[in-house]
PDB file of all heavy atoms in Angstrom:
ATOM      1  N   LYS A 187     -16.330  -8.935  -6.553  1.00 98.00           N
ATOM      2  CA  LYS A 187     -17.593  -9.736  -6.665  1.00 98.00           C
ATOM      3  C   LYS A 187     -17.432 -11.218  -6.229  1.00 98.00           C
ATOM      4  O   LYS A 187     -18.268 -11.824  -5.567  1.00 98.00           O
ATOM      5  CB  LYS A 187     -18.158  -9.698  -8.042  1.00 98.00           C
ATOM      6  CG  LYS A 187     -18.554  -8.220  -8.413  1.00 98.00           C
ATOM      7  CD  LYS A 187     -19.464  -8.241  -9.662  1.00 98.00           C
ATOM      8  CE  LYS A 187     -18.654  -8.523 -10.906  1.00 98.00           C
ATOM      9  NZ  LYS A 187     -19.496  -8.303 -12.122  1.00 98.00           N
ATOM     10  N   LYS A 188     -16.337 -11.787  -6.721  1.00 98.00           N
ATOM     11  CA  LYS A 188     -16.027 -13.215  -6.320  1.00 98.00           C
ATOM     12  C   LYS A 188     -15.956 -13.314  -4.850  1.00 98.00           C
ATOM     13  O   LYS A 188     -16.490 -14.330  -4.302  1.00 98.00           O
ATOM     14  CB  LYS A 188     -14.800 -13.588  -7.089  1.00 98.00           C
ATOM     15  CG  LYS A 188     -14.404 -15.143  -6.939  1.00 98.00           C
ATOM     16  CD  LYS A 188     -13.261 -15.476  -7.778  1.00 98.00           C
ATOM     17  CE  LYS A 188     -12.866 -16.945  -7.511  1.00 98.00           C
ATOM     18  NZ  LYS A 188     -11.697 -17.296  -8.435  1.00 98.00           N
ATOM     19  N   VAL A 189     -15.206 -12.540  -4.224  1.00 98.00           N
ATOM     20  CA  VAL A 189     -14.924 -12.602  -2.833  1.00 98.00           C
ATOM     21  C   VAL A 189     -16.278 -12.555  -1.935  1.00 98.00           C
ATOM     22  O   VAL A 189     -16.476 -13.331  -1.156  1.00 98.00           O
ATOM     23  CB  VAL A 189     -13.932 -11.663  -2.341  1.00 98.00           C
ATOM     24  CG1 VAL A 189     -13.855 -11.608  -0.754  1.00 98.00           C
ATOM     25  CG2 VAL A 189     -12.483 -12.029  -2.817  1.00 98.00           C
ATOM     26  N   ILE A 190     -16.973 -11.420  -2.332  1.00 98.00           N
ATOM     27  CA  ILE A 190     -18.256 -11.134  -1.590  1.00 98.00           C
ATOM     28  C   ILE A 190     -19.188 -12.358  -1.743  1.00 98.00           C
ATOM     29  O   ILE A 190     -19.854 -12.799  -0.700  1.00 98.00           O
ATOM     30  CB  ILE A 190     -18.872  -9.769  -2.039  1.00 98.00           C
ATOM     31  CG1 ILE A 190     -17.995  -8.666  -1.663  1.00 98.00           C
ATOM     32  CG2 ILE A 190     -20.287  -9.753  -1.518  1.00 98.00           C
ATOM     33  CD1 ILE A 190     -17.835  -8.502  -0.098  1.00 98.00           C
ATOM     34  N   LYS A 191     -19.461 -12.780  -2.946  1.00 98.00           N
ATOM     35  CA  LYS A 191     -20.387 -13.826  -3.317  1.00 98.00           C
ATOM     36  C   LYS A 191     -19.998 -15.113  -2.559  1.00 98.00           C
ATOM     37  O   LYS A 191     -20.893 -15.885  -2.050  1.00 98.00           O
ATOM     38  CB  LYS A 191     -20.562 -14.096  -4.851  1.00 98.00           C
ATOM     39  CG  LYS A 191     -21.411 -12.931  -5.413  1.00 98.00           C
ATOM     40  CD  LYS A 191     -21.850 -13.246  -6.837  1.00 98.00           C
ATOM     41  CE  LYS A 191     -20.626 -13.315  -7.794  1.00 98.00           C
ATOM     42  NZ  LYS A 191     -21.167 -13.540  -9.135  1.00 98.00           N
ATOM     43  N   LYS A 192     -18.749 -15.284  -2.474  1.00 98.00           N
ATOM     44  CA  LYS A 192     -18.281 -16.614  -1.835  1.00 98.00           C
ATOM     45  C   LYS A 192     -18.389 -16.593  -0.293  1.00 98.00           C
ATOM     46  O   LYS A 192     -18.933 -17.381   0.408  1.00 98.00           O
ATOM     47  CB  LYS A 192     -16.885 -16.863  -2.129  1.00 98.00           C
ATOM     48  CG  LYS A 192     -16.291 -18.138  -1.542  1.00 98.00           C
ATOM     49  CD  LYS A 192     -14.864 -18.458  -1.976  1.00 98.00           C
ATOM     50  CE  LYS A 192     -14.315 -19.743  -1.279  1.00 98.00           C
ATOM     51  NZ  LYS A 192     -12.936 -20.024  -1.764  1.00 98.00           N
ATOM     52  N   TYR A 193     -17.911 -15.343   0.236  1.00 98.00           N
ATOM     53  CA  TYR A 193     -17.941 -15.258   1.667  1.00 98.00           C
ATOM     54  C   TYR A 193     -19.343 -15.077   2.293  1.00 98.00           C
ATOM     55  O   TYR A 193     -19.614 -15.619   3.382  1.00 98.00           O
ATOM     56  CB  TYR A 193     -17.130 -14.012   2.128  1.00 98.00           C
ATOM     57  CG  TYR A 193     -16.836 -13.978   3.621  1.00 98.00           C
ATOM     58  CD1 TYR A 193     -15.761 -14.595   4.294  1.00 98.00           C
ATOM     59  CD2 TYR A 193     -17.698 -13.266   4.455  1.00 98.00           C
ATOM     60  CE1 TYR A 193     -15.613 -14.581   5.535  1.00 98.00           C
ATOM     61  CE2 TYR A 193     -17.499 -13.072   5.841  1.00 98.00           C
ATOM     62  CZ  TYR A 193     -16.425 -13.690   6.419  1.00 98.00           C
ATOM     63  OH  TYR A 193     -16.252 -13.787   7.697  1.00 98.00           O
ATOM     64  N   PHE A 194     -20.111 -14.379   1.462  1.00 98.00           N
ATOM     65  CA  PHE A 194     -21.464 -14.185   2.084  1.00 98.00           C
ATOM     66  C   PHE A 194     -22.484 -15.022   1.387  1.00 98.00           C
ATOM     67  O   PHE A 194     -23.798 -14.760   1.282  1.00 98.00           O
ATOM     68  CB  PHE A 194     -21.905 -12.665   1.816  1.00 98.00           C
ATOM     69  CG  PHE A 194     -21.074 -11.741   2.732  1.00 98.00           C
ATOM     70  CD1 PHE A 194     -20.015 -11.200   2.187  1.00 98.00           C
ATOM     71  CD2 PHE A 194     -21.419 -11.568   4.069  1.00 98.00           C
ATOM     72  CE1 PHE A 194     -19.186 -10.210   3.044  1.00 98.00           C
ATOM     73  CE2 PHE A 194     -20.824 -10.722   4.861  1.00 98.00           C
ATOM     74  CZ  PHE A 194     -19.651  -9.939   4.337  1.00 98.00           C
ATOM     75  N   SER A 195     -22.122 -16.138   0.917  1.00 97.00           N
ATOM     76  CA  SER A 195     -22.990 -17.110   0.192  1.00 97.00           C
ATOM     77  C   SER A 195     -24.163 -17.494   1.131  1.00 97.00           C
ATOM     78  O   SER A 195     -24.051 -17.843   2.248  1.00 97.00           O
ATOM     79  CB  SER A 195     -22.175 -18.350  -0.188  1.00 97.00           C
ATOM     80  OG  SER A 195     -23.075 -19.318  -0.784  1.00 97.00           O
ATOM     81  N   GLY A 196     -25.395 -17.333   0.628  1.00 94.00           N
ATOM     82  CA  GLY A 196     -26.433 -17.682   1.445  1.00 94.00           C
ATOM     83  C   GLY A 196     -27.143 -16.578   2.229  1.00 94.00           C
ATOM     84  O   GLY A 196     -28.158 -16.775   2.830  1.00 94.00           O
ATOM     85  N   ASP A 197     -26.402 -15.437   2.210  1.00 97.00           N
ATOM     86  CA  ASP A 197     -26.774 -14.235   3.108  1.00 97.00           C
ATOM     87  C   ASP A 197     -28.184 -13.768   2.388  1.00 97.00           C
ATOM     88  O   ASP A 197     -28.210 -13.505   1.251  1.00 97.00           O
ATOM     89  CB  ASP A 197     -25.739 -13.228   2.995  1.00 97.00           C
ATOM     90  CG  ASP A 197     -26.056 -12.144   4.022  1.00 97.00           C
ATOM     91  OD1 ASP A 197     -27.118 -11.553   3.965  1.00 97.00           O
ATOM     92  OD2 ASP A 197     -25.142 -11.988   4.956  1.00 97.00           O
ATOM     93  N   SER A 198     -29.102 -13.564   3.276  1.00 97.00           N
ATOM     94  CA  SER A 198     -30.305 -12.979   2.876  1.00 97.00           C
ATOM     95  C   SER A 198     -30.294 -11.715   2.159  1.00 97.00           C
ATOM     96  O   SER A 198     -31.300 -11.193   1.549  1.00 97.00           O
ATOM     97  CB  SER A 198     -31.386 -12.984   4.027  1.00 97.00           C
ATOM     98  OG  SER A 198     -30.953 -12.193   5.036  1.00 97.00           O
ATOM     99  N   GLN A 199     -29.307 -10.902   2.497  1.00 98.00           N
ATOM    100  CA  GLN A 199     -29.118  -9.566   1.928  1.00 98.00           C
ATOM    101  C   GLN A 199     -28.507  -9.468   0.535  1.00 98.00           C
ATOM    102  O   GLN A 199     -28.528  -8.525  -0.174  1.00 98.00           O
ATOM    103  CB  GLN A 199     -28.298  -8.675   2.814  1.00 98.00           C
ATOM    104  CG  GLN A 199     -28.884  -8.512   4.308  1.00 98.00           C
ATOM    105  CD  GLN A 199     -30.276  -7.973   4.328  1.00 98.00           C
ATOM    106  OE1 GLN A 199     -30.538  -6.891   3.552  1.00 98.00           O
ATOM    107  NE2 GLN A 199     -31.199  -8.563   4.960  1.00 98.00           N
ATOM    108  N   LEU A 200     -27.883 -10.661   0.094  1.00 97.00           N
ATOM    109  CA  LEU A 200     -27.138 -10.557  -1.303  1.00 97.00           C
ATOM    110  C   LEU A 200     -28.084 -10.174  -2.437  1.00 97.00           C
ATOM    111  O   LEU A 200     -27.733  -9.347  -3.314  1.00 97.00           O
ATOM    112  CB  LEU A 200     -26.623 -11.932  -1.484  1.00 97.00           C
ATOM    113  CG  LEU A 200     -25.132 -12.287  -0.965  1.00 97.00           C
ATOM    114  CD1 LEU A 200     -24.687 -13.651  -1.392  1.00 97.00           C
ATOM    115  CD2 LEU A 200     -24.197 -11.170  -1.307  1.00 97.00           C
ATOM    116  N   PRO A 201     -29.384 -10.609  -2.457  1.00 97.00           N
ATOM    117  CA  PRO A 201     -30.267 -10.198  -3.582  1.00 97.00           C
ATOM    118  C   PRO A 201     -30.445  -8.815  -3.707  1.00 97.00           C
ATOM    119  O   PRO A 201     -30.587  -8.347  -4.850  1.00 97.00           O
ATOM    120  CB  PRO A 201     -31.582 -10.999  -3.284  1.00 97.00           C
ATOM    121  CG  PRO A 201     -31.128 -12.062  -2.486  1.00 97.00           C
ATOM    122  CD  PRO A 201     -30.046 -11.730  -1.634  1.00 97.00           C
TER     123      PRO A 201
END
Side-chain angles (χ1 to χ4, degrees):
K187 293 196 288 186
K188 183 177 180 180
V189 169
I190 293 293
K191 289 193 288 185
K192 181 178 179 181
Y193 189 87
F194 292 96
S195 176
D197 192 301
S198 64
Q199 299 302 311
L200 275 182

